[in-house]
């Protein structure tokens, strides 16, 4: 069965799965990965681990591919006359919140319900001094479900999570826009890699992991790395594309290049090996400079257990952590292909080459 | 010309057919100055119900629905077809466009929103710099319109051109007892006016004005009222419901209107002091039919009545609005019961309308008290 | 029953009146150890000073559960003593400068003192640098304290009837609840590790090593949480007297939703009052347990407490009793996280 990448991504970014509450997205990824893996399991903190065994002789080395599946969003902190107060889960610029369509995952009644709602700005007259002008601090914003106050009290409880509800949109040149493309786009790249590997011979065991709780401190990946104890890890996450309003150091054109992270989080020998694979297969890559670390799962995987060598690659993305992130499907496919070629070409004694100068 | 029978009972509901019409109206792109999409829906909907239809020089749709009774009052009801939105003003290449806002949109509502552009509804987004790349100082500044861009994706789309209008991409949704949509201001009025034309009481000549450019200063209503030369003017619009809780639990003294309290009858806004005879006519009609209603708190803002009442030798005018939260943002929110009660109130009032109400004030001025 | 409750309040009073800032938990630890002696199958102290009491042995259908209540408190450490005997200090844990002026302190060596402040400029908000401790010493030589000496705030325990006030209710009220649960609970198939953890106020350090050592299958912190029930206070739904709070998240971790639901179900089954808690500022040992080894489902039972990190922290008597009941109920049955 050929993977419909666009549909796969649309389905994933339409599914809820905030940090710590990944169950809905986990089941969607499980359905996609199950046919491509020998074994699937869920770790203690909710990450999904798909094991695809290699053909090498035992003891077989293993590589972990980590792509976080959790989403940023909001959480209910209080109920005030039918309106919900909230705080953020993960990093959200409060300036993007007013007028956003959201879904409240309400759990106070016996049957959990998804309530369509929106983030609203109360009029200045109803706010203290620092709410009179300028961007509204998040503490003053409310969520309106359109329901009557009694109904809201019945359905919603403090601690319920709130997802962004922006619908996926297809933009020009094979790009797609929506919320949570950070990092479901990378999960899709892992699916691409697994699909390619299912038709290829590879010696190494591959542990593909859709990690939990990256957005609140790379917590899931740390537990996965501890449990799996891979010989090395590939971390894939989105990075900053060239975009109106501001881009990162790399200023990567969308649809053109796969950034490879270069900084303290990656093992230089692994970085070099992946560059060589890219060259061999004519895959366009560029250095994504992360002077102090990339703020991804790589940060915690690297220091798990007795230390795990990490190589990191990215998918350029516009407007990170807004509900209108944009990625190019070309970049997703290319990143998947690079990972697959890299893994398929790993010799059993590859780790002998992963050494410090 | 096929006219539908007027039922004696008028009990408006929002069934599938009605909701479908409202959805089409709200999801249309009809920004002030280019109201074509809504105009086409109005003309199509009323083709079989009008005694006279005209698109005037401004683009207003003027529909006359004549009654059959004697000494019918000529009542003009206005609802504006335009909405706030954007215009593409500069093509920066590679799918990135500079834009300006048309109408009063708080720039804080723009960031991070999907939009649709032009007659083809080409999708785009108004992005924002990633939070990771902003400084705490930056996050204290409101992003202004000229710092923002509409992005349709790298490479761009030949269907998007400078001068095109755009709106938020929000689609209408029913949220329990409420409706969430963009452009409820004033597609609800347009929807209600369509329903009124279809089921107009026979005792009046209904002069339905579907106006343009209200958001730019009631410009369509001015010519529409001149053209119709009515005896009474009513603006059906949408007004803010600022009925949110005070952060520190203090009483909310500036709610303007409240959701669920019924149609909002205007006493005074920035442009109009409502005709007291008409206000009384409306409130008495509501009380007689046990329709909930509320006064909109006197204040700023305005409706097409601001132009209608000053037309020619003057037209007694009043405004009635459906209370709405969050006007001029990606989506507003209304209660369905307020919408239906508004329609019911106007219909009821029209049925009770008798030219004599316009004399009542003179009587009370001297002799009766 | 009445006698048991008296002893609960007596223990609480003893614990809150014992000094024990982070890193100086030796006195408080010994008091707790003496009190729980005979109620556990095994009691030991680990390398960082955590007091760990095991009750029960893991059997089929049971779980190894770590319960963590920290026994350290916020305090001050002397950084300099000047020629006139005035001592400058740094904070141990989160000290709010606004609660310092006029405070009384008790050093681990028994020395007492008061906190004074330099003059302020107009509209100046004092930082900790503006304060000093006056132990009554007339000179540096006369001072009974020196660089590195540690003190806690000193306030007597106040019984206000339904409400109780003391310094270090954070987290001695939780330690008291854990001790009471340890005494009452019948572990069944569960293997319970009651950890009286150290150095929580400086970054959950005790719980980090205790969690690695215990290697639990489920982690439950017991700690205090803030309330939003005071005039024009912070916005928070938790209120004193509305029952134990079940943590959904704080700024250190997101509680495992399965653990949250487990706790809610038990509170409902016992018909105990309870409230859901989202704490926007503050961390707990739950985070340390969640992140240990290959990850552990973790949650936190919180006791609503007003004026946290001031010398007058207030809790509600019923909340304390209901917390004991909830904890005993949770730990005495097989746990299914679904």
């Amino acid at each position: 069965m050929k993977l419909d990448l666009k549909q796969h991504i649309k389905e994933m970014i339409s599914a809820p799965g905030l940090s710590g509450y990944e169950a809905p997205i986990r089941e969607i990824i499980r359905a996609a990965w199950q046919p491509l893996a020998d074994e699937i399991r869920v770790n203690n903190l909710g990450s999904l681990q798909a094991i695809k065994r290699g053909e090498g002789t035992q003891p077989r080395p293993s590589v972990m591919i980590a792509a976080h599946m959790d989403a940023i969003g909001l959480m209910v902190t209080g109920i005030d006359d039918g309106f919900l107060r909230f705080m953020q889960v993960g990093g959200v610029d409060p300036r993007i919140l007013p007028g956003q369509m959201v879904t409240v995952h309400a759990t106070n009644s016996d049957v959990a319900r998804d309530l369509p709602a929106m983030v609203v700005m109360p009029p200045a007259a109803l706010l203290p001094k620092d709410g009179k002008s300028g961007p509204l601090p998040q503490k003053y914003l409310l969520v309106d479900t359109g329901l009557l106050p009694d109904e809201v009290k019945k359905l919603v409880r403090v601690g319920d999570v709130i997802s962004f509800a922006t619908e996926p949109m297809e933009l020009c040149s094979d790009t797609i826009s929506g919320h949570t493309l950070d990092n479901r786009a990378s999960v899709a790249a892992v699916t691409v890699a697994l699909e390619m590997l299912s038709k290829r011979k590879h010696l190494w065991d591959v542990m593909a992991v859709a990690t939990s709780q990256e957005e609140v401190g790379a917590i899931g990946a740390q537990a996965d790395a501890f449990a799996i104890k891979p010989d090395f890890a590939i971390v894939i996450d989105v990075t900053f594309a060239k975009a109106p309003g501001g881009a990162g150091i790399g200023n990567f054109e969308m649809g053109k290049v796969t950034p490879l992270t270069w900084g303290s989080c990656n093992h230089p020998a692994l970085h070099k090996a992946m560059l060589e694979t890219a060259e061999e297969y004519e895959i366009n890559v560029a250095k994504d400079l992360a002077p102090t670390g990339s703020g991804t799962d790589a940060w915690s995987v690297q220091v798990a257990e007795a230390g795990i060598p990490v190589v990191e690659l990215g998918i350029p993305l516009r407007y990170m952590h807004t509900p209108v992130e944009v990625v190019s499907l070309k970049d997703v496919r290319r990143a998947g292909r690079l990972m697959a070629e890299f893994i398929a070409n790993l010799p059993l004694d590859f780790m002998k080459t992963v050494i410090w100068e | 010309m096929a006219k539908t029978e007027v039922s004696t009972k008028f009990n408006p509901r929002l069934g599938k057919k009605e909701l479908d019409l409202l959805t089409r109206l709200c999801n249309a792109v009809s920004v002030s100055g280019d109201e074509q999409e809504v105009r086409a829906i109005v003309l199509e909907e009323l083709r079989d119900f009008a005694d006279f239809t005209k698109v005037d020089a401004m683009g207003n749709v003027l529909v006359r629905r004549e009654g059959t009774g004697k000494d019918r009052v000529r009542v003009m009801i206005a609802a504006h077809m335009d909405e706030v939105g954007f215009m593409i003003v500069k093509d920066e290449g590679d799918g990135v466009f500079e834009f300006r806002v048309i109408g009063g949109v708080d720039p804080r509502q723009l960031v991070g929103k999907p939009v649709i552009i032009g007659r083809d509804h080409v999708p785009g987004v108004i992005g924002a710099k990633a939070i990771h790349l902003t400084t705490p100082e930056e996050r204290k500044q409101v992003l202004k319109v000229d710092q923002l861009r509409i992005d349709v994706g790298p490479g761009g789309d030949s269907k998007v051109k400078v001068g095109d209008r755009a709106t938020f991409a929000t689609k209408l949704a029913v949220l329990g007892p409420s409706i969430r949509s963009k452009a409820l201001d004033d597609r609800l009025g347009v929807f209600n006016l369509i329903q009124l034309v279809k089921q107009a009481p026979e005792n009046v000549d209904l002069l339905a004005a579907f106006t343009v450019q209200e958001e730019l200063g009631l410009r369509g209503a001015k010519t529409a009222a001149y053209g119709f030369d009515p005896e009474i003017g009513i603006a059906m619009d949408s007004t803010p419901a600022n009925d949110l809780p005070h952060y520190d639990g203090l009483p909310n003294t500036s709610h303007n209107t409240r959701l669920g309290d019924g149609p909002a009858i205007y006493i005074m806004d920035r442009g109009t002091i409502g005709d007291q005879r008409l206000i009384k006519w409306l409130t008495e009609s509501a009380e007689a039919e046990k329709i909930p209603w509320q006064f909109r708190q006197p204040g700023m803002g305005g409706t097409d009545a601001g132009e209608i009442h000053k037309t020619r030798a003057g037209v007694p005018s009043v405004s009635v609005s459906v209370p709405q939260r969050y006007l001029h943002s990606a989506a507003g929110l209304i209660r369905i019961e307020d919408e239906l009660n508004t329609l019911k109130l106007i219909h009821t009032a029209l049925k009770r309308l008798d030219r004599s109400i316009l004399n009542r004030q003179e009587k009370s001025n001297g002799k009766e008290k | 029953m009445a006698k048991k409750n008296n002893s609960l309040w007596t223990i609480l009073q003893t614990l809150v009146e014992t000094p024990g800032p982070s890193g100086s938990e030796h006195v408080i630890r010994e008091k707790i150890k003496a009190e729980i002696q005979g109620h556990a199958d095994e009691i030991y102290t680990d390398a960082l000073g955590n007091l760990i009491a095991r009750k029960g042995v893991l059997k089929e259908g049971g779980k190894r559960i770590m319960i963590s209540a920290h026994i350290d408190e916020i305090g001050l450490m002397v950084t300099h003593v000047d020629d006139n005997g005035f001592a400058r200090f740094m904070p141990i844990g989160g000290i709010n400068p606004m609660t310092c002026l006029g405070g009384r302190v008790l050093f681990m060596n028994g020395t007492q003192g008061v906190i004074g402040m330099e003059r302020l400029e107009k509209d100046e908000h004092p930082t900790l640098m503006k304060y000093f401790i006056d132990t009554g010493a007339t000179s540096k030589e006369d001072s009974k304290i020196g660089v590195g000496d540690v003190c806690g705030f000193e306030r007597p325990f106040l019984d206000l009837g339904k409400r109780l006030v003391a310094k270090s209710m954070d987290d001695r009220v939780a330690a008291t609840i854990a001790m009471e649960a340890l005494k009452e609970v019948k572990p069944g198939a569960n293997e319970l590790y009651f950890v009286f953890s150290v150095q929580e106020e400086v970054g959950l350090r005790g719980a980090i090593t205790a969690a690695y050592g215990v290697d639990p299958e489920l982690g439950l912190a017991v700690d205090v949480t803030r309330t939003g029930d005071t005039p024009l206070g912070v916005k928070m739904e938790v209120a004193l007297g509305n029952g134990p709070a079940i943590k959904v998240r704080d700024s250190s971790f997101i509680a495992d939703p399965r653990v949250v639901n487990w706790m809610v179900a038990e509170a409902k089954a016992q018909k105990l009052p309870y409230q859901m808690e989202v704490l926007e500022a503050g961390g707990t040992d739950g985070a340390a347990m969640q992140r240990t080894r290959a990850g552990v489902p973790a949650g936190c039972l919180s006791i609503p407490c007003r004026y946290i990190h001031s010398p007058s922290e207030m809790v509600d008597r019923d909340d304390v009793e209901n917390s004991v009941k909830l904890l005993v109920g949770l730990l005495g049955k097989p746990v299914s996280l679904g």
Side-chain angles (χ1 to χ4, degrees):
Chain A
M1 194 178 63
K2 184 92 178 80
L3 172 70
D4 182 344
L5 185 60
K6 192 183 279 176
Q7 193 48 41
H8 182 43
I9 293 177
K10 277 188 179 176
E11 189 186 10
M12 283 199 288
I13 64 175
S14 302
L18 260 61
S19 309
Y21 291 74
E22 294 91 353
I25 180 62
R26 185 170 61 231
E27 292 318 304
I28 287 170
I29 299 170
R30 186 203 293 269
W33 286 4
Q34 191 103 55
L36 306 172
D38 297 311
E39 190 188 330
I40 281 218
R41 61 190 183 206
V42 178
N43 93 341
N44 292 338
L45 299 186
S47 297
L48 183 77
Q49 304 175 347
I51 301 152
K52 183 161 175 14
R53 295 202 178 83
E55 294 173 27
T57 48
Q58 292 280 16
R60 231 175 359 247
S62 68
V63 53
M64 166 171 146
I65 314 178
H68 76 85
M69 63 175 161
D70 60 315
I72 56 168
L74 312 172
M75 178 181 271
V76 177
T77 58
I79 302 171
D80 194 346
D81 195 23
F83 295 85
L84 309 178
R85 298 198 183 278
F86 61 86
M87 69 180 293
Q88 306 161 5
V89 177
V92 183
D93 185 342
R95 291 181 301 174
I96 62 124
L97 287 174
Q100 289 298 351
M101 304 304 133
V102 294
T103 304
V104 180
H105 306 290
T107 65
N108 201 41
S109 57
D110 291 338
V111 184
R113 279 182 55 184
D114 282 350
L115 311 174
M118 64 186 289
V119 181
V120 302
M121 288 200 306
L126 303 175
L127 296 173
K129 217 168 139 193
D130 57 337
K132 300 290 185 197
S133 64
L136 273 200
Q138 166 237 294
K139 64 182 174 184
Y140 295 145
L141 299 173
L142 298 168
V143 165
D144 190 344
T145 60
L147 303 180
L148 303 178
D150 286 349
E151 185 79 353
V152 172
K153 249 189 177 155
K154 213 167 72 193
L155 296 175
V156 182
R157 80 180 185 195
V158 168
D160 281 346
V161 289
I162 303 172
S163 298
F164 288 114
T166 328
E167 285 177 32
M169 293 201 306
E170 290 177 31
L171 302 188
C172 301
S173 311
D174 223 8
T175 58
I176 193 161
S177 165
H179 65 86
T180 324
L181 283 163
D182 171 4
N183 189 33
R184 309 272 164 87
S186 297
V187 175
V190 177
T191 311
V192 169
L194 286 175
E195 199 198 30
M196 290 182 75
L197 286 171
S198 69
K199 294 163 192 154
R200 296 281 297 271
K201 181 180 157 77
H202 57 96
L203 300 175
W204 282 50
D205 282 343
V206 182
M207 312 290 201
V209 187
T211 64
S212 62
Q213 300 199 41
E214 191 272 349
E215 298 289 2
V216 291
I219 292 168
Q222 168 187 322
D224 293 306
F226 187 97
I228 292 172
K229 302 182 190 2
D231 290 274
F232 77 92
I234 301 173
V235 171
I236 177 163
D237 207 330
V238 294
T239 185
F240 308 104
K242 180 182 173 190
I249 302 170
N251 209 26
F252 301 109
E253 293 267 1
M254 295 187 64
K256 301 272 163 65
V257 64
T258 296
L260 299 189
T261 310
W262 178 258
S264 55
C265 272
N266 59 281
H267 196 293
L270 282 174
H271 182 86
K272 185 161 165 274
M274 196 170 257
L275 271 179
E276 284 164 6
T277 303
E279 200 163 310
E280 190 178 342
Y281 291 88
E282 297 182 339
I283 294 171
N284 193 22
V285 295
K287 268 190 183 169
D288 188 5
L289 301 174
T292 56
S294 56
T296 65
D297 278 342
W299 189 252
S300 64
V301 169
Q302 191 183 26
V303 296
E305 253 244 315
I308 294 170
V310 173
V311 61
E312 181 172 12
L313 68 162
I315 295 173
L317 174 141
R318 284 183 180 171
Y319 319 125
M320 200 182 290
H321 284 207
T322 77
V324 292
E325 296 173 333
V326 184
V327 296
S328 161
L329 294 183
K330 291 191 196 95
D331 292 330
V332 176
R333 280 193 207 96
R334 189 185 325 97
R337 188 158 68 89
L338 176 57
M339 289 190 286
E341 298 295 0
F342 185 67
I343 290 168
N345 285 290
L346 286 173
L348 281 176
D349 62 353
F350 173 71
M351 289 313 288
K352 281 189 189 153
T353 66
V354 182
I355 47 172
W356 287 94
E357 289 173 353
Chain B
M1 186 156 289
K3 281 191 192 174
T4 47
E5 273 305 303
V6 178
S7 72
T8 45
K9 267 232 173 315
F10 183 76
N11 233 340
R13 52 187 286 273
L14 204 63
K16 195 193 164 301
K17 205 177 92 204
E18 291 81 11
L19 191 60
D20 179 61
L21 172 60
L22 183 60
T23 304
R24 279 193 293 136
L25 286 169
C26 286
N27 292 355
V29 175
S30 179
V31 180
S32 311
D34 183 12
E35 296 86 353
Q36 179 271 341
E37 217 176 313
V38 167
R39 185 161 50 234
I41 297 173
V42 170
L43 289 170
E44 162 73 24
E45 281 293 317
L46 294 183
R47 186 185 299 142
D48 297 335
F49 296 88
D51 293 302
F52 168 83
T53 301
K54 177 184 175 184
V55 177
D56 77 2
M58 285 290 289
N60 296 309
V61 178
L62 305 182
V63 174
R64 193 169 71 230
R65 173 73 146 84
E66 286 163 8
T68 53
K70 276 185 194 157
D71 195 20
R72 303 185 302 271
V73 183
R74 295 196 319 282
V75 185
M76 167 171 164
I77 304 186
H80 67 89
M81 299 189 290
D82 61 316
E83 67 185 297
V84 296
F86 320 112
M87 182 186 273
I88 303 283
V89 297
K90 191 176 170 194
D91 183 346
E92 297 192 331
D94 207 25
V96 175
F97 298 90
E98 202 177 324
F99 66 100
R100 289 291 177 270
V101 169
I102 297 172
V105 182
D106 187 331
R108 292 177 292 181
Q109 297 285 356
L110 300 175
V111 195
K113 300 287 168 16
V115 297
I116 43 178
I117 306 150
R119 303 269 167 93
D120 294 308
H121 293 200
V122 175
V125 299
I126 302 174
K129 199 179 191 177
I131 182 173
H132 319 66
L133 302 173
T134 59
T135 61
E137 258 330 292
E138 269 180 273
R139 291 199 290 275
K140 284 186 203 145
Q141 306 299 321
V142 173
L143 285 162
K144 298 190 186 71
V145 182
D146 56 11
Q147 293 172 276
L148 299 170
R149 295 292 181 272
I150 289 176
D151 178 359
V152 300
D157 187 316
S158 60
K159 290 205 280 282
V160 180
K161 292 190 182 64
V162 167
D164 283 354
R165 271 81 168 187
T167 67
F168 291 115
T170 325
K171 294 194 184 103
L172 182 142
V174 176
L175 275 54
S178 307
I179 286 176
R180 180 189 75 186
S181 176
K182 76 167 183 72
L184 287 166
D185 170 15
D186 183 31
R187 301 296 149 70
L188 282 177
V190 170
F191 171 83
N192 283 342
L193 191 49
I194 290 173
Q195 303 304 318
L196 284 172
V197 171
K198 287 181 179 175
Q199 304 177 65
E202 292 294 321
N203 57 314
V204 295
D205 279 347
L206 178 56
L207 311 173
F210 298 89
T211 61
V212 297
Q213 299 191 28
E214 192 269 356
E215 299 292 357
L216 299 181
L218 327 177
R219 293 166 55 76
K222 187 169 194 283
T223 63
Y226 192 96
F228 268 145
D229 191 14
E231 293 173 274
I232 286 176
I234 302 172
M236 288 199 302
D237 210 328
S238 203
T239 191
N242 294 325
D243 56 342
L244 283 74
H246 190 285
Y247 187 76
D248 285 322
L250 302 178
N252 180 348
T253 56
S254 54
H255 53 81
N256 192 53
T257 63
R258 292 194 187 89
L259 250 50
D261 281 2
I265 299 171
Y266 288 51
I267 302 168
M268 182 176 84
D269 62 23
R270 183 200 285 274
T272 319
I273 295 172
D275 186 283
Q276 294 194 27
R277 296 163 296 181
L278 297 184
I279 293 170
K280 196 164 180 223
W281 163 59
L282 287 173
T283 57
E284 282 177 357
S285 299
E287 294 295 335
E289 293 289 322
K290 296 195 169 55
I291 300 167
W293 64 277
Q294 59 187 319
F295 277 131
R296 172 191 185 273
Q297 284 184 297
M300 291 294 115
T303 68
D304 278 342
E307 283 298 341
I308 298 169
H309 83 285
K310 291 187 292 192
T311 302
R312 296 190 188 229
V315 181
S317 299
V318 69
S319 301
V320 181
S321 277
V322 182
Q324 185 194 163
R325 291 180 185 152
Y326 329 123
L327 282 84
H328 293 202
S329 75
L333 192 90
I334 59 120
R335 290 263 193 275
I336 294 169
E337 58 170 281
D338 288 336
E339 146 59 21
L340 295 177
N341 281 326
T342 303
L343 184 50
K344 201 166 160 187
L345 170 61
I346 302 292
H347 193 273
T348 299
L350 288 178
K351 257 182 18 192
R352 294 163 53 96
L353 181 61
D354 174 32
R355 193 181 304 282
S356 66
I357 70 157
L358 293 174
N359 305 327
R360 210 186 291 169
Q361 195 179 41
E362 286 161 19
K363 278 185 199 164
S364 63
N365 266 354
K367 293 160 198 165
E368 278 191 348
K369 282 191 181 171
Chain C
M1 283 309 278
K3 188 168 178 297
K4 185 205 85 185
N5 280 348
N6 280 336
S7 98
L8 167 69
W9 309 120
T10 311
I11 293 167
L12 178 59
Q13 178 163 2
T14 306
L15 296 194
V16 296
E17 291 185 345
T18 305
S22 313
S24 303
E25 298 93 349
H26 45 284
V27 181
I28 184 81
R29 180 168 56 240
E30 290 314 309
K31 289 199 171 161
I32 294 172
K33 197 172 173 180
E35 184 62 39
I36 60 174
Q37 209 65 253
H39 292 284
D41 297 328
E42 182 189 2
I43 298 177
Y44 59 98
T45 303
D46 79 1
L48 253 68
N50 297 301
L51 177 68
I52 302 174
R54 176 180 60 81
K55 188 169 182 181
V57 177
L58 190 62
K59 297 187 199 78
E60 176 100 26
K63 267 194 171 31
R64 191 161 56 249
I65 305 175
M66 169 167 158
I67 304 97
S68 188
H70 71 90
I71 57 174
D72 61 318
E73 65 185 292
I74 55 172
L76 310 173
M77 183 183 277
V78 174
T79 54
H80 181 262
V81 180
D82 69 18
D83 290 345
N84 298 319
F86 295 106
R88 300 285 167 159
F89 58 84
M90 68 173 289
I92 300 174
I95 301 282
N96 183 347
M98 283 194 283
T99 64
C100 285
L101 186 62
R104 297 184 180 187
V105 296
L106 174 62
F107 283 86
M108 297 308 290
N109 68 6
T111 306
Q112 289 172 294
V114 298
I115 298 178
M117 185 176 66
E118 299 171 6
R119 70 167 184 275
L120 295 177
E121 305 300 321
K122 190 173 179 290
D123 295 333
E124 184 184 357
H125 295 283
T127 62
L128 289 179
M129 302 292 284
K130 285 270 171 186
Y131 292 102
F132 48 84
I133 298 170
D134 186 343
T135 57
T138 54
S139 66
K140 190 171 186 170
E141 292 67 34
D142 185 36
S143 177
K144 294 189 182 65
I145 55 164
V147 171
D149 271 322
V150 167
C151 63
F153 287 90
E154 192 183 18
R155 288 287 165 105
F157 176 77
L158 266 186
D159 182 345
L160 299 179
K162 190 161 159 36
R163 307 278 156 88
L164 307 165
V165 179
K167 62 100 187 155
S168 71
M169 277 296 181
D170 173 9
D171 192 27
R172 304 287 160 68
V173 69
T176 308
I177 288 164
M179 288 160 73
E180 201 62 24
L182 166 64
K183 290 176 186 172
E184 283 185 31
V185 70
K186 295 185 177 58
N190 292 330
E191 188 167 274
L192 305 175
Y193 286 85
F194 288 85
V195 174
F196 299 92
S197 66
V198 296
Q199 300 192 31
E200 190 269 356
E201 297 289 1
V202 290
L204 326 178
R205 295 176 196 164
I208 288 171
T209 63
Y212 193 94
V214 169
D215 192 10
E217 296 165 278
L218 171 62
L220 191 60
V222 189
D223 208 330
V224 294
T225 190
R226 288 173 196 280
T227 68
D229 60 350
T230 53
L232 289 185
V234 295
K235 288 275 174 192
M236 189 167 170
E237 292 281 295
V238 174
L240 228 56
N242 283 6
I246 295 170
K247 187 185 294 291
V248 179
R249 77 174 292 191
D250 57 33
S251 47
S252 67
F253 83 126
I254 294 174
D256 194 301
R258 297 167 297 176
V259 176
V260 172
N261 291 336
W262 168 60
M263 295 170 74
V264 169
E266 176 63 24
K268 279 184 175 164
Q270 285 196 48
K271 297 196 167 56
L272 292 174
Y274 71 95
Q275 40 192 337
M276 306 307 291
E277 174 212 348
V278 174
L279 176 63
E280 297 195 50
T284 54
D285 282 348
M289 292 185 275
Q290 182 181 57
R291 290 172 201 207
T292 201
R293 294 186 183 238
V296 177
C300 179
L301 169 60
S302 298
I303 300 93
C305 180
R306 288 180 186 160
Y307 324 122
I308 289 181
H309 285 203
S310 85
S312 300
E313 299 172 331
M314 180 187 282
V315 298
D316 179 276
R317 218 178 256 272
D318 295 337
D319 288 343
V320 176
E321 287 182 338
N322 287 324
S323 297
V324 173
K325 286 180 196 159
L326 181 55
L327 192 54
V328 170
L330 286 168
L331 301 177
K333 286 193 280 287
V335 181
S336 169
L337 292 184

